[in-house]
C-alpha cells in the first residue's frame, strides 16, 4: 500500500503536465495554422472565401444552437449568425469595387488606390473570421476549448466586419458621385459636410482592441499594442493634468489593466481620439524626444562621426538666379507670426568631411546638453558631390530631427553623403506659413553654404516623410517661384498633398487606423492652418463660466491680433523703402540687381493670377479646376527683373500667404442648414434597408466639416496647385503605403504630374502603416521599405549618364 500512496501525487502531476503540454501544443498549432490559413485565404477569390465562411458559420451556428440554453452557447450561435449575415451582405459590394479598382491605378505596374486598400482590408477581416471559424469547428468538442476567449474574439471581429461593410457602402457612394478616375470627393461642399458628419459617428473602438492592426504585417502588431496601451495610459495622466515627456514615457510601461482588457483599451482609445486636443497628441508623439529613449535609439543605430545641431542665423543673404547667375535675389529670414528668428537644423555625416569642423560651422553649433559634441579629427574625407536636405514628419505639430535621427544615420552611411535635417517651428504655436518659410530659408542656406556641410553641392535631393513630404514639395515650388536653384529631385514617403477635408476611399481607412484617426488628422490640419483655437460654443463651453469665456475670447483676440500683426510686418519688411522704378536689362557692370528687381522677384514668388488665387474663386476650386483652368505662362526671371510693370499692380496680400476669410464662418453656419444637392440622395441612403452599423458611444465629435479657404493655397495643398506651378518641379519619387489613409494623396499627385509630362515614380509597399521610416529597425518589412526610400534617393544623387557621341 505504501508505494501506491506515494505514486498517486506523481501520477496526478504527470497528468497535469500532460494536459499543459497538450494545451501548449494546441496553441502552437493554432498560431502556425493561423499564418497558413491566412496565406491560403488570401489566395482564394472573394466568392470562394465568402462561401467557405458562410458554410462554416452555418455549421457552427447549428452546433451551438443544439448545446442547450447556456448563455455562452447562445452568444456563439448568435455571433456566427451575424458573421453569415455580414459576409453575405458584404460580398456583392466588394465584388463591385473590385471590378472597377483598375480604373483608379496610376498604371498597370502600380495597382494601388484606396478602393483596392479597402477591399484588401475587408478580405483580411474575412480571412481571420474564416480561420477562426475553422478552428472553432475543429476544437469545439475539446475539453481545452476556451469558449469565452473565442467568443470575445469572434464578437470583436464581427463588429469590425460590420463597420467595414459600412465603409464599403461609403466607398460605393463615392464611386457613383465622383468622376471616373478621381479618388477625392468633388461634390457640393454641403454634401461633403453631410458625408463627414455621418461618417464620424461610426463606432471605432472595435478596431483598437482585439482587432488592433489586423490589416498590417504580424510583426507590426506587438508594437501597435504597446503603443495603444501607452496612449490610453497617458490619456489618464492627461485628464489629471499630469503631462510631460517623462509621464508619456512611463505610460508605455504602466498600462496593465489595458493590456489584459482589450475591450476597455479600445473604448478608451476611441474616447481619446474623439475628445482630446492637438496638445495631447503633440505631447504623446514627442515621447521619442526624451533623452532616455533617444539615447537608446541612438545606441541601436549606426554610429556616425558628425551629428550636431546648428542654429542658422536670421540674416538675409543673396542667391543667384538660375536664369542669369549674374543676378541675385534676396532670401529673407522667416517672418510669419513670431518675426525673425533662427532656424535649427541637424547635420549628420557618417564621415568627417572637409568643412564640417570649420570655425564658421562651429560658431553655428548649438549645445544639446549631455550629447557628445563633434571632436575634430586629423583625417578628413573629401567633400561629397551630393547633399540630402531632409524635412521630418509629425503632422506639422510634433517631433524634430532628433526623433528621425536613427534612420537618418543609416541613410548617411548607406548613401555616403552628408544630411541636413531641418527643425521647423511647429503648429499650433507657429501655424502656416511659418514652417514653409523656415524650411525654404534653411534649404537656400544649405544650397549656398554646402561647402560648410561637407558637400560640393553638385547633386541635391530633398527628402521627407508625411508632413515633411508636403513641405519638400512646397519648398521646391517656392524655390522655382523665386527663380533660385530647385533640387535635382524629391523623395517623399507617404506624403499628404491636400489638406482639404475631402473624402476618398483611402481616407475612409482613417476610421480603423490606430496611427492616423480622422479626428487626429483634422486636429493637425486645423492647427497648421491656424484655425485650431476656433471652438464652437456649446454646452461644454458653458461650463467654463464667465472667467473661462473671457480667457477664451481673449486668447482668440490675441491670436487674431498676432496673425494680423505678422501679416502686416511681413508686408512692411518686404515692401518698405522699395519704390517702383523702371530699369533696363542689367549690364556687366550691374551684376547686383537693384532694390526694385528684388521686390519684383519676391512678389512674383508668391503672387499668382487673381483668377487662381482670388478669395472668392479659391473657395470654389477643386482638383479638376486647378488642373484644367487656363494659366498664363510664367515669366522667366529676366522678364520679372526688368520692371514692376511686368507684374501689374501689387498689394501686400500678393506677398502674404494668408487669404482673407471673408464671411467664411457665416457661410459655414448657413451651409449647416442647407440640405445636400437636389437629386442626390442623403448619405444614409447608401446603406441598404435593414443594415445598421454601430455608432460611437463617446459623444459628439467636434471637428470642422468645412475646409478653411487657406487649405486650398497651393503652398499648403500642392495637389491643388495649377499646372504652371507643378511643371516647375524636379523629378519626384513617391513611396507610399497601401494601407495608409494618405495613399490617395500620393496616387492623385503622381497622376497629375504624369498627365503634365513631369518625371514621377510611385512605389507602394504592402501591409505597413503610415510612418514606417520611424519603425525601420522593427522588422524585415520595414527595413525593406526603408531601403526602397534609400534607393530612390540614390537615383536622384546619381548624375545622369552622359550621352554617347
Amino acid at each position: 500500500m505504501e508505494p501506491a500512496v506515494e505514486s498517486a501525487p506523481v501520477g496526478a502531476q504527470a497528468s497535469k503536465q500532460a494536459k499543459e503540454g497538450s494545451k501548449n501544443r494546441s496553441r502552437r498549432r493554432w498560431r502556425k495554422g493561423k499564418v497558413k490559413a491566412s496565406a491560403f485565404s488570401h489566395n482564394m477569390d472573394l466568392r470562394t472565401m465568402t462561401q467557405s465562411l458562410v458554410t462554416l458559420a452555418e455549421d457552427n451556428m447549428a452546433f451551438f444552437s443544439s448545446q442547450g440554453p447556456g448563455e455562452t452557447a447562445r452568444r456563439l450561435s448568435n455571433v456566427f449568425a451575424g458573421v453569415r449575415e455580414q459576409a453575405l451582405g458584404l460580398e456583392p459590394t466588394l465584388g463591385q469595387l473590385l471590378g472597377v479598382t483598375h480604373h483608379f491605378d496610376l498604371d498597370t505596374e502600380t495597382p494601388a488606390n484606396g478602393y483596392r486598400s479597402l477591399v484588401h482590408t475587408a478580405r483580411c477581416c474575412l480571412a481571420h473570421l474564416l480561420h477562426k471559424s475553422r478552428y472553432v469547428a475543429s476544437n469545439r468538442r475539446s475539453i481545452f476549448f476556451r469558449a469565452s476567449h473565442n467568443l470575445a474574439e469572434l464578437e470583436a471581429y464581427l463588429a469590425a466586419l460590420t463597420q467595414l461593410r459600412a465603409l464599403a457602402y461609403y466607398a460605393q457612394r463615392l464611386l457613383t458621385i465622383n468622376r471616373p478616375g478621381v479618388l477625392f470627393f468633388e461634390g457640393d461642399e454641403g454634401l461633403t459636410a453631410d458625408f463627414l458628419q455621418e461618417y464620424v459617428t461610426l463606432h471605432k473602438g472595435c478596431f483598437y482592441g482585439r482587432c488592433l492592426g489586423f490589416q498590417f504585417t504580424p510583426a507590426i502588431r506587438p508594437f501597435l499594442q504597446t503603443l495603444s496601451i501607452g496612449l490610453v495610459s497617458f490619456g489618464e495622466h492627461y485628464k489629471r493634468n499630469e503631462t510631460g515627456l517623462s509621464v508619456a514615457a512611463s505610460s508605455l510601461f504602466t498600462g496593465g489593466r489595458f493590456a489584459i482588457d482589450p475591450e476597455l483599451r479600445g473604448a478608451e482609445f476611441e474616447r481619446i481620439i474623439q475628445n482630446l486636443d492637438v496638445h495631447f497628441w503633440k505631447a504623446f508623439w514627442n515621447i521619442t524626444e526624451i533623452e532616455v529613449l533617444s539615447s537608446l535609439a541612438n545606441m541601436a543605430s549606426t554610429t556616425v562621426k558628425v551629428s550636431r545641431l546648428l542654429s542658422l542665423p536670421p540674416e538675409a543673404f543673396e542667391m543667384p538666379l538660375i536664369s542669369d547667375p549674374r543676378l541675385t535675389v534676396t532670401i529673407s529670414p522667416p517672418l510669419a507670426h513670431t518675426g525673425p528668428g533662427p532656424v535649427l537644423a541637424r547635420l549628420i555625416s557618417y564621415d568627417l568631411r572637409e568643412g564640417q569642423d570649420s570655425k564658421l560651422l562651429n560658431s553655428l553649433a548649438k549645445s544639446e546638453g549631455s550629447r557628445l559634441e563633434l571632436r575634430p579629427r586629423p583625417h578628413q574625407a573629401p567633400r561629397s558631390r551630393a547633399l540630402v536636405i531632409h524635412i521630418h514628419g509629425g503632422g506639422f505639430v510634433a517631433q524634430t530631427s532628433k526623433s528621425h535621427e536613427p534612420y537618418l544615420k543609416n541613410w548617411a552611411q548607406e548613401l555616403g553623403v552628408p544630411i541636413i535635417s531641418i527643425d521647423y517651428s511647429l503648429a499650433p504655436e507657429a501655424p502656416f506659413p511659418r514652417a514653409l518659410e523656415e524650411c525654404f530659408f534653411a534649404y537656400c542656406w544649405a544650397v549656398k553654404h554646402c561647402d560648410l556641410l561637407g558637400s560640393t553641392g553638385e547633386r541635391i535631393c530633398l527628402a521627407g516623410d508625411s508632413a515633411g513630404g508636403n513641405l519638400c514639395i512646397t519648398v521646391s515650388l517656392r524655390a522655382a517661384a523665386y527663380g533660385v536653384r530647385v533640387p535635382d529631385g524629391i523623395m517623399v514617403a507617404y506624403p499628404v498633398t491636400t489638406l482639404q477635408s475631402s473624402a476618398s476611399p483611402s481616407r475612409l481607412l482613417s476610421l480603423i487606423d490606430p496611427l492616423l484617426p480622422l479626428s487626429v488628422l483634422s486636429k493637425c490640419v486645423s492647427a497648421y492652418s491656424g484655425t485650431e483655437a476656433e471652438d464652437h460654443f456649446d454646452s461644454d463651453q458653458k461650463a467654463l463660466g464667465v472667467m473661462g469665456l473671457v480667457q477664451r475670447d481673449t486668447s482668440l483676440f490675441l491670436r487674431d491680433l498676432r496673425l494680423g500683426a505678422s501679416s502686416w510686418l511681413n508686408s512692411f519688411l518686404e515692401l518698405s523703402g522699395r519704390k517702383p522704378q523702371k530699369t533696363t536689362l542689367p549690364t556687366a557692370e550691374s551684376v547686383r540687381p537693384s532694390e526694385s528687381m528684388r521686390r519684383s522677384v519676391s512678389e512674383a514668388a508668391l503672387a499668382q493670377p487673381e483668377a487662381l488665387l482670388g478669395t472668392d474663386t479659391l473657395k470654389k476650386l477643386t482638383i479638376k479646376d486647378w488642373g484644367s483652368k487656363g494659366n498664363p505662362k510664367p515669366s522667366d526671371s529676366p522678364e520679372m527683373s526688368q520692371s514692376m510693370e511686368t507684374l501689374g499692380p501689387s498689394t501686400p496680400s500678393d506677398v502674404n500667404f494668408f487669404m482673407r476669410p471673408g464671411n467664411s464662418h457665416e457661410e459655414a453656419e448657413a451651409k449647416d442648414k442647407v440640405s445636400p444637392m437636389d437629386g442626390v440622395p442623403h448619405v444614409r441612403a447608401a446603406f441598404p434597408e435593414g443594415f445598421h452599423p454601430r455608432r460611437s458611444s463617446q459623444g459628439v465629435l467636434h471637428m470642422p466639416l468645412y475646409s478653411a479657404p487657406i487649405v486650398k493655397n497651393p503652398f499648403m495643398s500642392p495637389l491643388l496647385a495649377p499646372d504652371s506651378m507643378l511643371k516647375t518641379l524636379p523629378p519626384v519619387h513617391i513611396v507610399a503605403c497601401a494601407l495608409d489613409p494618405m495613399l490617395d494623396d500620393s496616387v492623385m499627385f503622381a497622376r497629375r504630374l504624369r498627365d503634365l509630362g513631369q518625371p514621377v515614380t510611385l512605389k507602394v509597399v504592402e501591409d505597413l502603416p503610415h510612418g514606417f521610416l520611424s519603425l525601420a529597425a522593427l522588422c524585415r518589412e520595414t527595413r525593406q521599405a526603408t531601403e526602397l526610400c534609400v534607393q530612390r534617393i540614390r537615383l536622384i544623387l546619381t548624375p545622369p549618364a552622359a550621352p554617347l557621341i
Side-chain angles (χ1 to χ4, degrees), residues 295-501:
S295 298
L296 289 175
N298 283 324
M299 284 191 295
S301 61
T302 302
T303 302
V304 297
K305 301 292 178 55
V306 181
S307 178
R308 61 195 319 196
L309 192 64
L310 307 177
S311 179
L312 311 184
E315 301 170 355
F317 55 89
E318 304 295 320
M319 286 283 288
L321 296 178
I322 291 298
S323 59
D324 188 348
R326 298 174 302 169
L327 305 178
T328 61
V329 60
T330 301
I331 305 299
S332 301
L335 300 174
H337 302 298
T338 57
V343 179
L344 301 182
R346 183 177 301 277
L347 176 63
I348 299 174
S349 180
Y350 183 71
D351 296 306
L352 176 65
R353 297 183 178 274
E354 294 179 10
Q356 293 178 344
D357 61 346
S358 63
K359 291 183 178 180
L360 179 56
L361 194 69
N362 289 334
S363 67
L364 302 178
K366 184 177 176 65
S367 174
E368 293 186 85
S370 60
R371 289 175 64 91
L372 293 177
E373 297 291 337
L374 169 70
R375 294 181 179 179
R377 291 169 174 80
H379 301 291
Q380 297 182 0
R383 289 185 173 92
S384 170
R385 299 176 60 184
L387 176 68
V388 174
I389 302 175
H390 173 262
I391 306 178
H392 68 81
F396 302 104
V397 302
Q399 299 191 341
T400 66
S401 61
K402 193 175 182 179
S403 303
H404 298 249
E405 189 177 7
Y407 73 79
L408 290 178
K409 288 181 175 180
N410 294 335
W411 286 11
Q413 179 187 22
E414 294 184 34
L415 295 169
V417 301
I419 299 173
I420 182 167
S421 182
I422 304 170
D423 282 347
Y424 53 89
S425 297
L426 302 171
E429 294 79 10
F432 179 85
R434 182 72 189 196
L436 176 58
E437 288 184 355
E438 291 184 357
C439 290
F440 176 68
F441 179 83
Y443 164 79
C444 292
W445 188 94
V447 172
K448 183 177 178 65
H449 300 91
C450 58
D451 58 324
L452 297 178
L453 304 176
S455 172
T456 61
E458 296 177 40
R459 304 287 296 181
I460 293 179
C461 170
L462 256 180
D465 69 307
S466 191
N470 174 288
L471 289 168
C472 284
I473 298 169
T474 53
V475 163
S476 296
L477 291 174
R478 197 174 188 194
Y482 266 79
V484 299
R485 177 181 177 179
V486 297
D488 296 286
I490 303 172
M491 193 292 297
V492 287
Y494 38 86
V496 52
T497 61
T498 175
L499 300 184
Q500 285 193 111
S501 56

Side-chain angles (χ1 to χ4, degrees), residues 752-787:
R752 279 212 63 194
L753 293 178
R754 182 162 294 182
D755 290 344
L756 295 173
Q758 291 291 104
V760 60
T761 65
L762 172 63
K763 181 66 176 177
V764 181
V765 297
E766 303 289 338
D767 301 331
L768 292 180
H770 185 96
F772 65 75
L773 280 176
S774 297
L775 309 176
L778 191 61
C779 61
R780 175 177 54 85
E781 291 84 355
T782 54
R783 287 192 294 271
Q784 291 175 345
T786 303
E787 177 59 28

Side-chain angles (χ1 to χ4, degrees), residues 159-411:
L161 188 66
T162 303
Q163 302 307 88
L164 287 170
R165 184 181 173 189
L167 296 188
Y169 287 134
Y170 283 136
Q172 193 177 41
R173 186 81 178 88
L174 289 174
L175 198 61
T176 60
I177 295 176
N178 289 349
R179 293 182 296 112
V182 176
L183 290 168
F184 283 98
F185 185 82
E186 291 188 334
D188 178 79
E189 195 168 1
L191 186 58
T192 303
D194 188 56
F195 186 96
L196 290 175
Q197 196 166 23
E198 168 75 9
Y199 171 74
V200 297
T201 63
L202 291 177
H203 168 71
K204 313 163 191 66
C206 61
F207 295 107
Y208 307 135
R210 294 181 188 272
C211 304
L212 181 69
F214 73 92
Q215 69 272 35
F216 300 126
T217 185
I220 295 291
R221 296 171 195 170
F223 162 78
L224 293 177
Q225 183 173 1
T226 303
L227 186 69
S228 66
I229 293 171
L231 177 69
V232 295
S233 300
F234 182 58
E236 288 198 324
H237 292 289
Y238 192 84
K239 286 190 294 184
R240 298 193 295 265
N241 293 323
E242 300 173 3
T243 58
L245 295 180
S246 59
V247 173
S250 65
S251 299
L252 290 175
F253 311 103
T254 58
R257 64 192 181 97
F258 296 115
I260 63 176
D261 191 341
E263 282 70 32
L264 177 63
R265 182 175 73 239
E268 182 67 7
F269 199 110
E270 182 177 10
R271 185 197 67 80
I272 287 174
I273 64 174
Q274 291 263 118
N275 300 306
L276 296 187
D277 58 18
V278 71
H279 300 283
F280 167 82
W281 296 98
K282 177 191 285 283
F284 185 74
W285 286 343
N286 282 333
I287 286 178
T288 52
E289 299 287 317
I290 67 173
E291 192 64 33
V292 174
L293 293 184
S294 65
S295 298
L296 289 175
N298 283 324
M299 284 191 295
S301 61
T302 302
T303 302
V304 297
K305 301 292 178 55
V306 181
S307 178
R308 61 195 319 196
L309 192 64
L310 307 177
S311 179
L312 311 184
E315 301 170 355
F317 55 89
E318 304 295 320
M319 286 283 288
L321 296 178
I322 291 298
S323 59
D324 188 348
R326 298 174 302 169
L327 305 178
T328 61
V329 60
T330 301
I331 305 299
S332 301
L335 300 174
H337 302 298
T338 57
V343 179
L344 301 182
R346 183 177 301 277
L347 176 63
I348 299 174
S349 180
Y350 183 71
D351 296 306
L352 176 65
R353 297 183 178 274
E354 294 179 10
Q356 293 178 344
D357 61 346
S358 63
K359 291 183 178 180
L360 179 56
L361 194 69
N362 289 334
S363 67
L364 302 178
K366 184 177 176 65
S367 174
E368 293 186 85
S370 60
R371 289 175 64 91
L372 293 177
E373 297 291 337
L374 169 70
R375 294 181 179 179
R377 291 169 174 80
H379 301 291
Q380 297 182 0
R383 289 185 173 92
S384 170
R385 299 176 60 184
L387 176 68
V388 174
I389 302 175
H390 173 262
I391 306 178
H392 68 81
F396 302 104
V397 302
Q399 299 191 341
T400 66
S401 61
K402 193 175 182 179
S403 303
H404 298 249
E405 189 177 7
Y407 73 79
L408 290 178
K409 288 181 175 180
N410 294 335
W411 286 11

Side-chain angles (χ1 to χ4, degrees), residues 504 506-507 509-510 513 516 521 739-745:
S504 82
S506 75
R507 291 192 177 188
L509 294 175
S510 62
D513 195 291
L516 285 182
L521 290 173
L739 300 178
D740 182 8
M742 299 291 105
L743 170 64
D744 290 339
D745 290 57

Side-chain angles (χ1 to χ4, degrees), residues 579-638:
K579 300 180 180 179
Q581 63 182 33
K582 294 184 178 181
T583 62
T584 58
L585 283 171
T587 61
E589 290 78 11
S590 60
V591 175
R592 187 178 179 88
S594 64
E595 293 295 322
S596 62
M597 176 266 176
R598 293 183 195 169
R599 181 189 176 205
S600 301
V601 176
S602 182
E603 288 175 343
L606 300 181
Q608 297 296 329
E610 290 184 5
L612 284 174
L613 294 184
T615 303
D616 296 334
T617 305
L618 189 58
K619 292 179 182 179
K620 304 174 184 177
L621 287 177
T622 63
I623 299 171
K624 176 179 68 174
D625 299 320
W626 283 113
S628 61
K629 196 173 183 68
N631 303 310
K633 293 182 179 180
S635 304
D636 57 23
S637 299

